[in-house]
């Protein structure tokens, strides 16, 4: 019994620890590990008060503080000035498009998010839907690919979700033709990076334009698709941080919310490949007319057997079948419905002569069948089908013909594709069927630590504010149950049932009756306590020994009395 109570106490302690763990996860689950120290200036201290027993302690309030770059940057923008200063709206028109939608007349605004948890934190918002949008800004100086990495980072929030549209950026190449006032889809860019979605196709682009050193022409190279599931980033209506890191050793990393979702090498993990093959198939080579590619051929020596009947049918009637007794040959399977009546609005001139609908013949329900009986069809045991000669190995088989290989006249080898065309501006050229796409905290630099500091002070602060505003575990469960009532059943099964089992296990022990409640019978009694039982056994043995001793004395006395009596006689 003591062991059972000890087990009950252990279960209750584990339950309390589990509840405390859930509370701690709720308080700290949304914290970002590497932004904890950076948020000290952004979190107001909560005054220590003695709240009433019925009211929960207040959540810490996160206040906004504009991020400041901690090192050299080529471009930064947090939009906290509340204006589009430094940005250029495009006045271009798309080629080969109807005039009604050819203009880049989509609207941009600088404003806070609709459900912001950080008053004062503003960003660039793509306001209109079903429009072409184009906006761009100059870098502080052109970025030249040499010995330092390239880091591009910015935030996106699909406030209304996303139906079909993109939120990617273009790094515009440094050319003499670059005119931000005429920025459009054909404007030369060096890199395109960011999320894009249409239908159920969720993408995270990384495309760079590589210059062929022999021809001088540019070709787009697409990074392999990430293995990670990207759907949540488009549907959860939260702010996400997109980062691209390109290194001089040609390696690259793509991160979402500071977590790597794709990585690779510019030489091996892009399509089409940067370098063409050394050899190609000879375009002038042609397959010889007598080239035999057939691995199998019909046996020319095979002869159709004389007893092979190609005209035999596959099915024949069963001659052994017998018509069932009671078959109604003269009754049709279907008859006119006797209860049907011609509709009052039936027009025989327009609708033709009215006929009652057909129903199953009621007389056939109790009979094995109605109508003319026919023998069933069975497989013909003599059927062989059309004869064909068996296939044998082709003695003249030469394999699948392929043109011969020749040196590729366009071959080149670029072992440093990282050294791309310098770029001098960043732009957003987008079409979207969804409005209110929020952009914020752009940064282009070469130091990863600088980018991480910028992320912690911007995106990290948003994440901390969202975490402080989110309800606890119980609140989230209640909110989920309001949307999906069937969750109440799950809650009952996962919470109430274990509690019931613990109570049942701890409190339903069978009470052992005392020794006094047993009748004085010869039936054996249960062992209650080994020590008590041993003591009882010893006491009983002593009593039995005393009784035996007294009995022996009585017998001796009787014997002695009889002797004396006989002697006197």
């Amino acid at each position: 019994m003591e062991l059972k109570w000890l087990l009950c106490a252990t279960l209750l302690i584990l339950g309390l620890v589990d509840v405390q763990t859930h509370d701690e996860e709720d308080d700290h689950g949304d914290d970002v590990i590497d932004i904890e120290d950076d948020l000290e200036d952004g979190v107001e201290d909560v005054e220590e008060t003695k709240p009433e027993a019925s009211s929960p302690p207040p959540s810490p309030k996160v206040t906004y503080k504009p991020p400041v770059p901690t090192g050299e940057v080529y471009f930064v923008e947090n939009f906290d000035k509340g204006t589009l200063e430094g940005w250029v709206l495009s006045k271009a028109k798309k080629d080969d498009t109807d005039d009604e939608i050819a203009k880049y007349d989509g609207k941009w605004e600088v404003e806070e998010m609709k459900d912001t948890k950080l008053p004062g934190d503003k960003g660039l918002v793509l306001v209109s839907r079903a429009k072409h949008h184009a906006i761009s800004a100059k870098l502080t100086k052109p970025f030249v690919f040499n010995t330092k990495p390239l880091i591009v980072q910015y935030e996106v929030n699909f406030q209304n979700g996303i139906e079909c549209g993109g939120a990617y950026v273009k790094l515009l190449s440094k050319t003499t033709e670059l005119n931000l006032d005429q920025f459009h889809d054909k404007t030369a860019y060096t890199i395109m990076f960011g999320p894009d979605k249409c239908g159920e196709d969720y993408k995270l682009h990384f495309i760079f334009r590589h210059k062929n050193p022999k021809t001088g022409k540019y070709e787009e190279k697409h990074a392999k698709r990430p293995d990670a599931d990207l759907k949540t980033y488009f549907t959860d209506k939260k702010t996400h941080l997109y980062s691209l890191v390109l290194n001089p050793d040609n390696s690259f990393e793509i991160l979402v919310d500071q977590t790597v979702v794709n990585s690779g090498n510019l030489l091996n993990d892009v399509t089409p490949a940067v370098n063409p093959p050394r050899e190609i198939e000879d375009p002038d080579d042609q397959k010889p007319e007598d080239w035999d590619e057939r691995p199998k051929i019909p046996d020319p020596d095979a002869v159709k057997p004389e007893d092979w009947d190609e005209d035999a049918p596959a099915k024949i009637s069963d001659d052994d079948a017998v018509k069932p007794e009671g078959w109604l040959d003269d009754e049709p399977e279907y008859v006119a419905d006797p209860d049907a009546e011609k509709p009052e609005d039936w027009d025989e001139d327009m609708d033709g002569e009215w006929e009652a609908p057909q129903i199953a013949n009621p007389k056939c329900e109790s009979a094995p069948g109605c109508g003319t009986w026919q023998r069933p069809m069975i497989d013909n045991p003599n059927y062989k089908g059309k004869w064909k000669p068996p296939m044998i190995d082709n003695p003249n088989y030469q394999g699948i013909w392929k043109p011969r290989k020749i040196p590729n006249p366009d071959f080149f080898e670029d072992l440093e594709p990282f050294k791309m065309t310098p770029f001098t501006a960043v732009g957003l050229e987008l079409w979207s069927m969804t409005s209110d796409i929020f952009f914020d905290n752009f940064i282009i630099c070469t130091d990863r630590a600088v980018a991480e500091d910028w992320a912690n002070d911007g995106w990290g602060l948003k994440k901390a504010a969202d975490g402080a505003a989110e309800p606890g575990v119980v609140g989230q469960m209640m909110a989920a149950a309001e949307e999906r009532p069937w969750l109440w059943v799950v809650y009952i099964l996962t919470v109430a049932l274990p509690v019931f089992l613990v109570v049942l296990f701890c409190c339903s022990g069978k009470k052992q009756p005392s020794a006094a409640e047993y009748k004085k019978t010869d039936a054996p009694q249960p062992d209650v306590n080994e020590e008590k039982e041993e003591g009882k056994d010893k006491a009983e043995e002593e009593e039995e020994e005393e009784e035996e001793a007294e009995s022996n004395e009585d017998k001796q006395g009787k014997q002695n009395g009889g002797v004396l009596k006989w002697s006197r006689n």
Side-chain angles (χ1 to χ4, degrees):
M1 197 66 181
E2 293 178 358
L3 180 61
K4 182 183 291 185
W5 282 108
L6 180 60
L7 182 57
C8 291
T10 303
L11 290 173
L12 291 175
I13 292 172
L14 290 175
L16 293 173
V17 171
D18 184 57
V19 171
Q20 184 176 2
T21 302
H22 278 295
D23 292 340
E24 291 177 357
E25 289 178 355
D26 179 57
D27 294 337
H28 304 293
D30 290 325
D31 290 343
V32 179
I33 295 175
D34 56 354
I35 69 170
E36 206 169 349
D37 297 333
D38 299 311
L39 296 180
E40 292 181 355
D41 296 334
V43 180
E44 293 183 350
D45 296 331
V46 181
E47 296 182 0
E48 295 182 359
T49 58
K50 295 181 179 180
E52 298 179 0
S54 59
S55 61
S59 301
K61 182 180 179 182
V62 181
T63 55
Y64 179 67
K65 181 179 179 181
V68 177
T70 57
E72 182 183 7
V73 296
Y74 287 77
F75 182 81
V76 286
E77 179 62 85
N78 55 29
F79 301 101
D80 291 325
K81 293 178 291 186
T83 66
L84 289 172
E85 180 182 350
W87 291 81
V88 179
L89 294 171
S90 176
K91 300 177 182 178
K93 288 185 178 182
K94 291 195 71 171
D95 297 333
D96 304 325
T97 307
D98 294 339
D99 291 338
E100 296 180 358
I101 60 173
K103 294 182 180 179
Y104 283 90
D105 54 356
K107 292 184 179 180
W108 301 88
E109 296 289 347
V110 175
E111 58 189 21
E112 297 179 2
M113 281 191 291
K114 293 186 295 185
D115 298 324
T116 184
K117 306 298 187 301
L118 282 176
D121 182 14
K122 298 179 180 179
L124 178 66
V125 179
L126 182 149
V127 177
S128 47
R129 61 182 300 274
K131 294 280 188 179
H132 291 290
H133 304 74
I135 191 170
S136 56
K138 283 278 190 178
L139 274 59
T140 55
K141 59 180 178 180
F143 186 93
V144 179
F145 295 87
N146 43 38
T147 59
K148 293 184 179 181
L150 166 66
I151 301 172
V152 182
Q153 184 173 276
Y154 68 106
E155 301 168 17
V156 177
N157 187 312
F158 296 106
Q159 299 184 86
N160 298 330
I162 183 70
E163 179 182 351
C164 183
Y168 43 82
V169 298
K170 290 182 176 181
L171 306 182
L172 305 182
S173 302
K174 180 183 178 182
T175 62
T176 55
E177 297 84 11
L178 180 60
N179 181 3
L180 300 186
D181 188 60
Q182 294 298 313
F183 175 36
H184 56 89
D185 60 322
K186 299 294 193 302
T187 300
Y189 68 88
T190 299
I191 290 175
M192 187 175 108
F193 166 67
D196 187 19
K197 183 252 182 184
C198 203
E200 289 300 313
D201 190 10
Y202 302 89
K203 298 178 181 179
L204 182 51
H205 291 297
F206 167 40
I207 305 171
F208 67 95
R209 295 173 71 244
H210 179 260
K211 184 178 181 180
N212 187 314
K214 296 190 70 172
T215 64
K217 294 182 178 180
Y218 286 88
E219 185 178 31
E220 290 184 350
K221 310 294 182 181
H222 296 248
K224 64 179 183 180
R225 293 183 69 112
D227 294 330
D229 185 7
L230 306 175
K231 182 176 181 179
T232 303
Y233 306 130
F234 293 84
T235 58
D236 62 3
K237 299 183 181 180
K238 293 183 178 180
T239 302
H240 294 287
L241 180 72
Y242 295 90
S243 307
L244 170 65
V245 180
L246 278 179
N247 297 305
D249 63 355
N250 300 320
S251 63
F252 68 86
E253 286 184 333
I254 298 174
L255 301 90
V256 181
D257 299 343
Q258 297 182 327
T259 299
V260 177
V261 297
N262 197 5
S263 62
N265 190 284
L266 300 180
L267 288 172
N268 305 320
D269 301 303
V270 297
T271 305
V274 169
N275 296 314
R278 291 181 178 273
E279 292 184 328
I280 62 171
E281 294 179 348
D282 185 356
D284 299 326
D285 193 13
Q286 295 182 352
K287 183 175 70 173
E289 294 181 359
D290 59 348
W291 189 278
D292 196 340
E293 293 182 333
R294 299 172 300 165
K296 298 280 186 179
I297 60 171
D299 185 357
D301 300 327
V303 179
K304 183 176 72 172
E306 294 181 358
D307 60 346
W308 192 285
D309 186 2
E310 292 185 344
D311 299 326
K315 296 282 185 179
I316 58 174
S317 61
D318 186 1
D319 295 334
D320 297 330
V322 179
K323 181 172 69 173
E325 294 183 3
W327 189 280
L328 305 178
D329 295 88
D330 299 330
E331 290 291 337
E333 293 185 31
Y334 295 93
V335 296
D337 186 358
D339 299 327
E341 295 181 358
K342 183 173 70 173
E344 295 180 359
D345 59 349
W346 187 274
D347 187 348
E348 293 189 355
D349 294 334
M350 296 292 294
D351 303 324
E353 183 179 357
W354 181 80
E355 294 180 356
Q358 297 285 303
I359 62 172
N361 190 343
K363 295 180 180 180
C364 299
E365 293 180 359
S366 58
C370 292
T372 304
W373 181 79
Q374 295 180 348
R375 297 180 184 276
M377 303 297 288
I378 60 173
D379 292 334
N380 183 1
N382 299 320
Y383 173 74
K384 296 183 179 180
K386 186 175 180 60
W387 182 83
K388 294 180 181 179
M391 302 297 288
I392 62 172
D393 292 334
N394 183 3
N396 298 321
Y397 176 65
Q398 296 174 273
I400 303 301
W401 182 85
K402 294 180 181 180
R404 63 175 177 268
K405 295 285 189 177
I406 62 172
N408 185 357
D410 298 324
F411 173 75
F412 65 84
E413 189 173 37
D414 181 2
L415 299 179
E416 296 180 316
F418 169 77
K419 294 184 177 180
M420 306 176 191
T421 304
F423 62 91
T424 188
V426 58
L428 298 167
E429 188 267 318
L430 306 169
W431 165 274
S432 177
M433 294 301 296
T434 307
S435 61
D436 296 327
I437 302 176
F438 182 89
F439 300 85
D440 200 7
N441 293 330
F442 290 85
I443 185 170
I444 298 175
C445 61
T446 59
D447 191 337
R448 196 157 185 167
V450 173
E452 290 178 354
D453 291 342
W454 179 263
N456 296 338
D457 294 342
W459 172 78
L461 204 60
K462 288 186 178 69
K463 188 171 180 64
D466 290 340
E470 286 183 357
V473 173
V474 176
Q476 294 179 11
M477 292 173 64
M478 297 289 286
E482 290 179 0
E483 296 180 0
R484 296 175 287 277
W486 56 267
L487 285 175
W488 287 113
V489 178
V490 179
Y491 296 162
I492 292 173
L493 292 176
T494 56
V495 178
L497 184 59
V499 172
F500 172 75
L501 292 176
V502 170
V503 174
L504 183 65
F505 179 77
C506 295
C507 304
S508 63
K510 185 175 180 181
K511 183 179 179 181
Q512 299 291 343
S514 63
E517 294 176 352
Y518 282 94
K519 293 181 179 180
K520 295 181 178 180
T521 65
D522 293 336
Q525 298 181 10
D527 295 337
V528 178
N529 188 297
E530 292 182 358
E531 295 180 358
K532 291 181 179 180
E533 193 66 29
E534 290 176 0
K536 182 179 179 181
D537 292 341
K538 291 180 180 179
E540 289 179 353
E541 289 177 1
E542 291 177 358
E543 289 179 359
E544 289 177 358
E545 290 176 358
E546 291 177 359
E547 289 178 357
E548 288 180 1
E550 291 177 359
S551 176
N552 292 334
E553 290 177 358
D554 291 342
K555 289 180 179 180
Q556 263 184 341
K558 288 179 180 181
Q559 290 177 358
N560 293 336
V563 171
L564 289 173
K565 185 176 181 181
W566 179 78
S567 298
R568 289 172 184 173
N569 291 332

